[in-house]
mmCIF file of all heavy atoms in Angstrom:
data_model
loop_
_atom_site.group_PDB
_atom_site.id
_atom_site.type_symbol
_atom_site.label_atom_id
_atom_site.label_comp_id
_atom_site.label_asym_id
_atom_site.label_seq_id
_atom_site.Cartn_x
_atom_site.Cartn_y
_atom_site.Cartn_z
ATOM 1 N N GLU A 1157 -8.999 20.398 -3.680
ATOM 2 C CA GLU A 1157 -7.933 19.437 -4.045
ATOM 3 C C GLU A 1157 -8.450 17.993 -3.921
ATOM 4 O O GLU A 1157 -8.142 17.157 -4.763
ATOM 5 C CB GLU A 1157 -6.750 19.668 -3.087
ATOM 6 C CG GLU A 1157 -6.014 20.927 -3.407
ATOM 7 C CD GLU A 1157 -4.986 21.299 -2.334
ATOM 8 O OE1 GLU A 1157 -5.254 20.933 -1.149
ATOM 9 O OE2 GLU A 1157 -3.985 21.964 -2.644
ATOM 10 N N ASN A 1158 -9.283 17.712 -2.912
ATOM 11 C CA ASN A 1158 -9.854 16.401 -2.755
ATOM 12 C C ASN A 1158 -10.765 16.039 -3.953
ATOM 13 O O ASN A 1158 -10.747 14.925 -4.443
ATOM 14 C CB ASN A 1158 -10.665 16.293 -1.457
ATOM 15 C CG ASN A 1158 -9.781 15.818 -0.281
ATOM 16 O OD1 ASN A 1158 -9.571 14.598 -0.104
ATOM 17 N ND2 ASN A 1158 -9.341 16.778 0.530
ATOM 18 N N LEU A 1159 -11.529 17.011 -4.406
ATOM 19 C CA LEU A 1159 -12.432 16.777 -5.524
ATOM 20 C C LEU A 1159 -11.684 16.507 -6.799
ATOM 21 O O LEU A 1159 -12.092 15.631 -7.589
ATOM 22 C CB LEU A 1159 -13.369 17.999 -5.721
ATOM 23 C CG LEU A 1159 -14.565 18.141 -4.808
ATOM 24 C CD1 LEU A 1159 -15.295 19.472 -5.021
ATOM 25 C CD2 LEU A 1159 -15.535 16.959 -4.975
ATOM 26 N N LEU A 1160 -10.639 17.246 -7.059
ATOM 27 C CA LEU A 1160 -9.921 17.145 -8.313
ATOM 28 C C LEU A 1160 -8.925 15.983 -8.338
ATOM 29 O O LEU A 1160 -8.574 15.483 -9.468
ATOM 30 C CB LEU A 1160 -9.137 18.400 -8.615
ATOM 31 C CG LEU A 1160 -10.022 19.679 -8.926
ATOM 32 C CD1 LEU A 1160 -9.173 20.924 -9.012
ATOM 33 C CD2 LEU A 1160 -10.812 19.463 -10.213
ATOM 34 N N LEU A 1161 -8.536 15.493 -7.195
ATOM 35 C CA LEU A 1161 -7.460 14.482 -7.124
ATOM 36 C C LEU A 1161 -7.714 13.247 -7.947
ATOM 37 O O LEU A 1161 -6.847 12.769 -8.659
ATOM 38 C CB LEU A 1161 -7.175 14.150 -5.686
ATOM 39 C CG LEU A 1161 -5.924 13.325 -5.395
ATOM 40 C CD1 LEU A 1161 -4.684 14.100 -5.838
ATOM 41 C CD2 LEU A 1161 -5.789 13.017 -3.904
ATOM 42 N N PRO A 1162 -8.893 12.644 -7.891
ATOM 43 C CA PRO A 1162 -9.156 11.397 -8.658
ATOM 44 C C PRO A 1162 -8.997 11.539 -10.182
ATOM 45 O O PRO A 1162 -8.644 10.556 -10.851
ATOM 46 C CB PRO A 1162 -10.612 11.030 -8.301
ATOM 47 C CG PRO A 1162 -10.899 11.707 -7.025
ATOM 48 C CD PRO A 1162 -10.139 13.007 -7.086
ATOM 49 N N LEU A 1163 -9.181 12.766 -10.669
ATOM 50 C CA LEU A 1163 -9.077 12.935 -12.098
ATOM 51 C C LEU A 1163 -7.792 13.581 -12.585
ATOM 52 O O LEU A 1163 -7.482 13.572 -13.746
ATOM 53 C CB LEU A 1163 -10.289 13.825 -12.593
ATOM 54 C CG LEU A 1163 -11.678 13.314 -12.286
ATOM 55 C CD1 LEU A 1163 -12.702 14.189 -13.000
ATOM 56 C CD2 LEU A 1163 -11.808 11.875 -12.774
ATOM 57 N N GLN A 1164 -7.045 14.193 -11.666
ATOM 58 C CA GLN A 1164 -5.827 14.907 -12.029
ATOM 59 C C GLN A 1164 -4.834 14.007 -12.748
ATOM 60 O O GLN A 1164 -4.198 14.460 -13.728
ATOM 61 C CB GLN A 1164 -5.158 15.560 -10.834
ATOM 62 C CG GLN A 1164 -5.915 16.713 -10.267
ATOM 63 C CD GLN A 1164 -5.826 17.988 -11.122
ATOM 64 O OE1 GLN A 1164 -5.560 17.937 -12.253
ATOM 65 N NE2 GLN A 1164 -6.019 19.148 -10.477
ATOM 66 N N GLY A 1165 -4.698 12.799 -12.287
ATOM 67 C CA GLY A 1165 -3.754 11.866 -12.918
ATOM 68 C C GLY A 1165 -4.330 11.158 -14.123
ATOM 69 O O GLY A 1165 -3.661 10.293 -14.713
ATOM 70 N N ARG A 1166 -5.528 11.586 -14.514
ATOM 71 C CA ARG A 1166 -6.230 10.923 -15.668
ATOM 72 C C ARG A 1166 -6.630 11.950 -16.678
ATOM 73 O O ARG A 1166 -7.664 11.802 -17.324
ATOM 74 C CB ARG A 1166 -7.407 10.130 -15.129
ATOM 75 C CG ARG A 1166 -7.004 8.999 -14.224
ATOM 76 C CD ARG A 1166 -8.202 8.329 -13.595
ATOM 77 N NE ARG A 1166 -7.752 7.157 -12.828
ATOM 78 C CZ ARG A 1166 -7.254 7.187 -11.586
ATOM 79 N NH1 ARG A 1166 -7.150 8.354 -10.975
ATOM 80 N NH2 ARG A 1166 -6.883 6.076 -10.975
ATOM 81 N N ARG A 1167 -5.838 13.000 -16.818
ATOM 82 C CA ARG A 1167 -6.209 14.095 -17.765
ATOM 83 C C ARG A 1167 -6.273 13.579 -19.167
ATOM 84 O O ARG A 1167 -7.040 14.058 -20.015
ATOM 85 C CB ARG A 1167 -5.229 15.260 -17.648
ATOM 86 C CG ARG A 1167 -5.501 16.102 -16.381
ATOM 87 C CD ARG A 1167 -4.791 17.452 -16.428
ATOM 88 N NE ARG A 1167 -5.216 18.231 -15.280
ATOM 89 C CZ ARG A 1167 -6.242 19.051 -15.290
ATOM 90 N NH1 ARG A 1167 -6.966 19.154 -16.392
ATOM 91 N NH2 ARG A 1167 -6.578 19.791 -14.248
ATOM 92 N N ALA A 1168 -5.396 12.578 -19.490
ATOM 93 C CA ALA A 1168 -5.463 11.989 -20.844
ATOM 94 C C ALA A 1168 -6.823 11.337 -21.098
ATOM 95 O O ALA A 1168 -7.308 11.343 -22.261
ATOM 96 C CB ALA A 1168 -4.344 10.999 -21.061
ATOM 97 N N GLN A 1169 -7.433 10.795 -20.066
ATOM 98 C CA GLN A 1169 -8.737 10.129 -20.197
ATOM 99 C C GLN A 1169 -9.888 11.105 -20.149
ATOM 100 O O GLN A 1169 -10.808 10.985 -20.950
ATOM 101 C CB GLN A 1169 -8.863 9.075 -19.081
ATOM 102 C CG GLN A 1169 -10.196 8.286 -19.135
ATOM 103 C CD GLN A 1169 -10.297 7.319 -17.967
ATOM 104 O OE1 GLN A 1169 -9.325 7.090 -17.213
ATOM 105 N NE2 GLN A 1169 -11.464 6.692 -17.826
ATOM 106 N N PHE A 1170 -9.805 12.084 -19.211
ATOM 107 C CA PHE A 1170 -10.945 12.984 -19.033
ATOM 108 C C PHE A 1170 -10.773 14.344 -19.711
ATOM 109 O O PHE A 1170 -11.764 15.036 -19.999
ATOM 110 C CB PHE A 1170 -11.169 13.187 -17.520
ATOM 111 C CG PHE A 1170 -11.695 11.949 -16.840
ATOM 112 C CD1 PHE A 1170 -10.817 11.080 -16.229
ATOM 113 C CD2 PHE A 1170 -13.024 11.636 -16.882
ATOM 114 C CE1 PHE A 1170 -11.248 9.920 -15.592
ATOM 115 C CE2 PHE A 1170 -13.470 10.474 -16.215
ATOM 116 C CZ PHE A 1170 -12.618 9.618 -15.566
ATOM 117 N N GLY A 1171 -9.522 14.794 -19.902
ATOM 118 C CA GLY A 1171 -9.255 16.001 -20.683
ATOM 119 C C GLY A 1171 -10.002 17.212 -20.232
ATOM 120 O O GLY A 1171 -10.058 17.552 -19.069
ATOM 121 N N ALA A 1172 -10.640 17.835 -21.243
ATOM 122 C CA ALA A 1172 -11.279 19.140 -21.048
ATOM 123 C C ALA A 1172 -12.548 19.035 -20.192
ATOM 124 O O ALA A 1172 -13.019 20.128 -19.707
ATOM 125 C CB ALA A 1172 -11.631 19.779 -22.390
ATOM 126 N N ILE A 1173 -13.060 17.881 -19.946
ATOM 127 C CA ILE A 1173 -14.326 17.786 -19.197
ATOM 128 C C ILE A 1173 -14.092 17.931 -17.701
ATOM 129 O O ILE A 1173 -15.049 18.051 -16.947
ATOM 130 C CB ILE A 1173 -15.067 16.464 -19.499
ATOM 131 C CG1 ILE A 1173 -14.311 15.245 -18.883
ATOM 132 C CG2 ILE A 1173 -15.312 16.280 -20.944
ATOM 133 C CD1 ILE A 1173 -15.146 13.990 -18.902
ATOM 134 N N ILE A 1174 -12.836 17.935 -17.264
ATOM 135 C CA ILE A 1174 -12.567 18.040 -15.823
ATOM 136 C C ILE A 1174 -13.156 19.321 -15.260
ATOM 137 O O ILE A 1174 -13.878 19.307 -14.234
ATOM 138 C CB ILE A 1174 -11.087 17.951 -15.513
ATOM 139 C CG1 ILE A 1174 -10.570 16.556 -15.813
ATOM 140 C CG2 ILE A 1174 -10.794 18.293 -14.028
ATOM 141 C CD1 ILE A 1174 -9.090 16.345 -15.520
ATOM 142 N N GLU A 1175 -12.891 20.441 -15.912
ATOM 143 C CA GLU A 1175 -13.419 21.715 -15.412
ATOM 144 C C GLU A 1175 -14.918 21.773 -15.474
ATOM 145 O O GLU A 1175 -15.565 22.315 -14.582
ATOM 146 C CB GLU A 1175 -12.789 22.879 -16.199
ATOM 147 C CG GLU A 1175 -11.287 23.047 -16.019
ATOM 148 C CD GLU A 1175 -10.909 23.154 -14.548
ATOM 149 O OE1 GLU A 1175 -11.608 23.864 -13.803
ATOM 150 O OE2 GLU A 1175 -9.872 22.608 -14.125
ATOM 151 N N GLU A 1176 -15.477 21.196 -16.523
ATOM 152 C CA GLU A 1176 -16.951 21.151 -16.655
ATOM 153 C C GLU A 1176 -17.549 20.308 -15.519
ATOM 154 O O GLU A 1176 -18.514 20.677 -14.909
ATOM 155 C CB GLU A 1176 -17.313 20.572 -17.998
ATOM 156 C CG GLU A 1176 -18.796 20.455 -18.205
ATOM 157 C CD GLU A 1176 -19.123 19.806 -19.567
ATOM 158 O OE1 GLU A 1176 -18.244 19.807 -20.453
ATOM 159 O OE2 GLU A 1176 -20.295 19.304 -19.708
ATOM 160 N N ARG A 1177 -16.931 19.165 -15.276
ATOM 161 C CA ARG A 1177 -17.393 18.265 -14.178
ATOM 162 C C ARG A 1177 -17.272 19.027 -12.836
ATOM 163 O O ARG A 1177 -18.145 18.877 -11.995
ATOM 164 C CB ARG A 1177 -16.525 17.020 -14.152
ATOM 165 C CG ARG A 1177 -16.781 16.060 -15.247
ATOM 166 C CD ARG A 1177 -17.722 14.884 -14.806
ATOM 167 N NE ARG A 1177 -17.775 13.911 -15.874
ATOM 168 C CZ ARG A 1177 -17.121 12.782 -15.897
ATOM 169 N NH1 ARG A 1177 -16.298 12.474 -14.891
ATOM 170 N NH2 ARG A 1177 -17.271 11.947 -16.875
ATOM 171 N N PHE A 1178 -16.190 19.750 -12.642
ATOM 172 C CA PHE A 1178 -15.954 20.435 -11.389
ATOM 173 C C PHE A 1178 -17.072 21.452 -11.153
ATOM 174 O O PHE A 1178 -17.639 21.552 -10.029
ATOM 175 C CB PHE A 1178 -14.606 21.117 -11.420
ATOM 176 C CG PHE A 1178 -14.210 21.769 -10.103
ATOM 177 C CD1 PHE A 1178 -14.005 20.994 -8.998
ATOM 178 C CD2 PHE A 1178 -14.026 23.121 -10.062
ATOM 179 C CE1 PHE A 1178 -13.651 21.606 -7.775
ATOM 180 C CE2 PHE A 1178 -13.689 23.752 -8.871
ATOM 181 C CZ PHE A 1178 -13.479 22.976 -7.726
ATOM 182 N N ARG A 1179 -17.387 22.256 -12.182
ATOM 183 C CA ARG A 1179 -18.460 23.277 -11.989
ATOM 184 C C ARG A 1179 -19.783 22.588 -11.746
ATOM 185 O O ARG A 1179 -20.584 23.060 -10.904
ATOM 186 C CB ARG A 1179 -18.495 24.119 -13.268
ATOM 187 C CG ARG A 1179 -17.343 25.076 -13.478
ATOM 188 C CD ARG A 1179 -17.626 26.067 -14.559
ATOM 189 N NE ARG A 1179 -17.801 25.437 -15.817
ATOM 190 C CZ ARG A 1179 -16.830 25.209 -16.722
ATOM 191 N NH1 ARG A 1179 -15.587 25.516 -16.398
ATOM 192 N NH2 ARG A 1179 -17.064 24.625 -17.873
ATOM 193 N N ASP A 1180 -20.097 21.532 -12.489
ATOM 194 C CA ASP A 1180 -21.333 20.807 -12.267
ATOM 195 C C ASP A 1180 -21.405 20.257 -10.847
ATOM 196 O O ASP A 1180 -22.494 20.313 -10.207
ATOM 197 C CB ASP A 1180 -21.435 19.729 -13.305
ATOM 198 C CG ASP A 1180 -22.767 18.942 -13.233
ATOM 199 O OD1 ASP A 1180 -23.770 19.575 -12.806
ATOM 200 O OD2 ASP A 1180 -22.815 17.790 -13.612
ATOM 201 N N THR A 1181 -20.344 19.688 -10.377
ATOM 202 C CA THR A 1181 -20.282 19.112 -9.037
ATOM 203 C C THR A 1181 -20.557 20.163 -7.996
ATOM 204 O O THR A 1181 -21.357 19.903 -7.031
ATOM 205 C CB THR A 1181 -18.973 18.419 -8.791
ATOM 206 O OG1 THR A 1181 -18.764 17.355 -9.733
ATOM 207 C CG2 THR A 1181 -18.929 17.797 -7.379
ATOM 208 N N LEU A 1182 -19.930 21.319 -8.108
ATOM 209 C CA LEU A 1182 -20.208 22.364 -7.131
ATOM 210 C C LEU A 1182 -21.673 22.877 -7.183
ATOM 211 O O LEU A 1182 -22.210 23.211 -6.115
ATOM 212 C CB LEU A 1182 -19.239 23.553 -7.369
ATOM 213 C CG LEU A 1182 -17.770 23.278 -7.154
ATOM 214 C CD1 LEU A 1182 -16.939 24.518 -7.325
ATOM 215 C CD2 LEU A 1182 -17.515 22.644 -5.765
ATOM 216 N N ALA A 1183 -22.265 22.840 -8.346
ATOM 217 C CA ALA A 1183 -23.674 23.170 -8.457
ATOM 218 C C ALA A 1183 -24.563 22.219 -7.776
ATOM 219 O O ALA A 1183 -25.584 22.567 -7.155
ATOM 220 C CB ALA A 1183 -24.061 23.329 -9.939
ATOM 221 N N GLN A 1184 -24.167 20.908 -7.778
ATOM 222 C CA GLN A 1184 -24.914 19.889 -7.184
ATOM 223 C C GLN A 1184 -24.726 19.814 -5.700
ATOM 224 O O GLN A 1184 -25.564 19.344 -4.939
ATOM 225 C CB GLN A 1184 -24.589 18.516 -7.814
ATOM 226 C CG GLN A 1184 -24.872 18.448 -9.298
ATOM 227 C CD GLN A 1184 -26.368 18.525 -9.625
ATOM 228 O OE1 GLN A 1184 -27.192 18.184 -8.868
ATOM 229 N NE2 GLN A 1184 -26.648 19.047 -10.820
ATOM 230 N N PHE A 1185 -23.521 20.239 -5.252
ATOM 231 C CA PHE A 1185 -23.151 20.188 -3.821
ATOM 232 C C PHE A 1185 -22.747 21.608 -3.347
ATOM 233 O O PHE A 1185 -21.588 21.862 -3.104
ATOM 234 C CB PHE A 1185 -22.006 19.217 -3.607
ATOM 235 C CG PHE A 1185 -22.295 17.790 -3.858
ATOM 236 C CD1 PHE A 1185 -22.222 17.262 -5.160
ATOM 237 C CD2 PHE A 1185 -22.673 16.894 -2.861
ATOM 238 C CE1 PHE A 1185 -22.486 15.936 -5.402
ATOM 239 C CE2 PHE A 1185 -22.954 15.569 -3.123
ATOM 240 C CZ PHE A 1185 -22.892 15.087 -4.412
ATOM 241 N N PRO A 1186 -23.727 22.473 -3.237
ATOM 242 C CA PRO A 1186 -23.416 23.883 -2.887
ATOM 243 C C PRO A 1186 -22.707 24.074 -1.565
ATOM 244 O O PRO A 1186 -21.960 25.000 -1.391
ATOM 245 C CB PRO A 1186 -24.807 24.540 -2.898
ATOM 246 C CG PRO A 1186 -25.817 23.480 -2.753
ATOM 247 C CD PRO A 1186 -25.185 22.291 -3.444
ATOM 248 N N VAL A 1187 -22.925 23.131 -0.629
ATOM 249 C CA VAL A 1187 -22.262 23.278 0.676
ATOM 250 C C VAL A 1187 -20.746 23.195 0.480
ATOM 251 O O VAL A 1187 -19.973 23.790 1.224
ATOM 252 C CB VAL A 1187 -22.743 22.240 1.705
ATOM 253 C CG1 VAL A 1187 -22.367 20.829 1.223
ATOM 254 C CG2 VAL A 1187 -22.252 22.529 3.092
ATOM 255 N N LEU A 1188 -20.325 22.447 -0.502
ATOM 256 C CA LEU A 1188 -18.854 22.350 -0.803
ATOM 257 C C LEU A 1188 -18.362 23.574 -1.494
ATOM 258 O O LEU A 1188 -17.216 24.018 -1.291
ATOM 259 C CB LEU A 1188 -18.594 21.075 -1.602
ATOM 260 C CG LEU A 1188 -18.995 19.778 -0.936
ATOM 261 C CD1 LEU A 1188 -18.658 18.611 -1.835
ATOM 262 C CD2 LEU A 1188 -18.344 19.621 0.435
ATOM 263 N N ALA A 1189 -19.170 24.173 -2.357
ATOM 264 C CA ALA A 1189 -18.812 25.372 -3.073
ATOM 265 C C ALA A 1189 -18.500 26.516 -2.096
ATOM 266 O O ALA A 1189 -17.656 27.377 -2.337
ATOM 267 C CB ALA A 1189 -19.867 25.799 -4.043
ATOM 268 N N GLN A 1190 -19.185 26.485 -0.945
ATOM 269 C CA GLN A 1190 -18.976 27.520 0.063
ATOM 270 C C GLN A 1190 -17.719 27.272 0.903
ATOM 271 O O GLN A 1190 -17.367 28.100 1.737
ATOM 272 C CB GLN A 1190 -20.219 27.575 0.974
ATOM 273 C CG GLN A 1190 -21.481 27.907 0.243
ATOM 274 C CD GLN A 1190 -22.739 27.600 1.022
ATOM 275 O OE1 GLN A 1190 -22.661 27.337 2.247
ATOM 276 N NE2 GLN A 1190 -23.919 27.609 0.422
ATOM 277 N N ASN A 1191 -17.137 26.089 0.773
ATOM 278 C CA ASN A 1191 -15.997 25.690 1.638
ATOM 279 C C ASN A 1191 -14.822 25.180 0.820
ATOM 280 O O ASN A 1191 -14.071 24.368 1.329
ATOM 281 C CB ASN A 1191 -16.457 24.628 2.617
ATOM 282 C CG ASN A 1191 -17.484 25.123 3.638
ATOM 283 O OD1 ASN A 1191 -17.137 25.766 4.604
ATOM 284 N ND2 ASN A 1191 -18.755 24.844 3.405
ATOM 285 N N LEU A 1192 -14.656 25.649 -0.362
ATOM 286 C CA LEU A 1192 -13.649 25.104 -1.273
ATOM 287 C C LEU A 1192 -12.236 25.154 -0.726
ATOM 288 O O LEU A 1192 -11.429 24.264 -0.928
ATOM 289 C CB LEU A 1192 -13.644 25.824 -2.653
ATOM 290 C CG LEU A 1192 -14.612 25.286 -3.679
ATOM 291 C CD1 LEU A 1192 -14.451 26.114 -4.994
ATOM 292 C CD2 LEU A 1192 -14.349 23.839 -3.953
#
């Protein structure tokens, strides 16, 4: 929820890339992927 919060209110601006960004971020920060 903390990761998604900055973009949730900006879906019109970021649109479909939110999920792509989310997956990429978890790949870059694996310690967070283990503690979602």
Side-chain angles (χ1 to χ4, degrees):
E1157 290 167 331
N1158 270 279
L1159 280 175
L1160 292 173
L1161 192 60
L1163 301 187
Q1164 289 287 23
R1166 297 172 173 82
R1167 285 194 172 271
Q1169 180 181 353
F1170 291 96
I1173 69 170
I1174 292 180
E1175 295 304 321
E1176 179 183 340
R1177 289 261 186 99
F1178 184 65
R1179 290 192 297 269
D1180 183 28
T1181 300
L1182 294 184
Q1184 300 295 332
F1185 294 84
V1187 67
L1188 300 180
Q1190 300 164 13
N1191 293 281
L1192 272 182

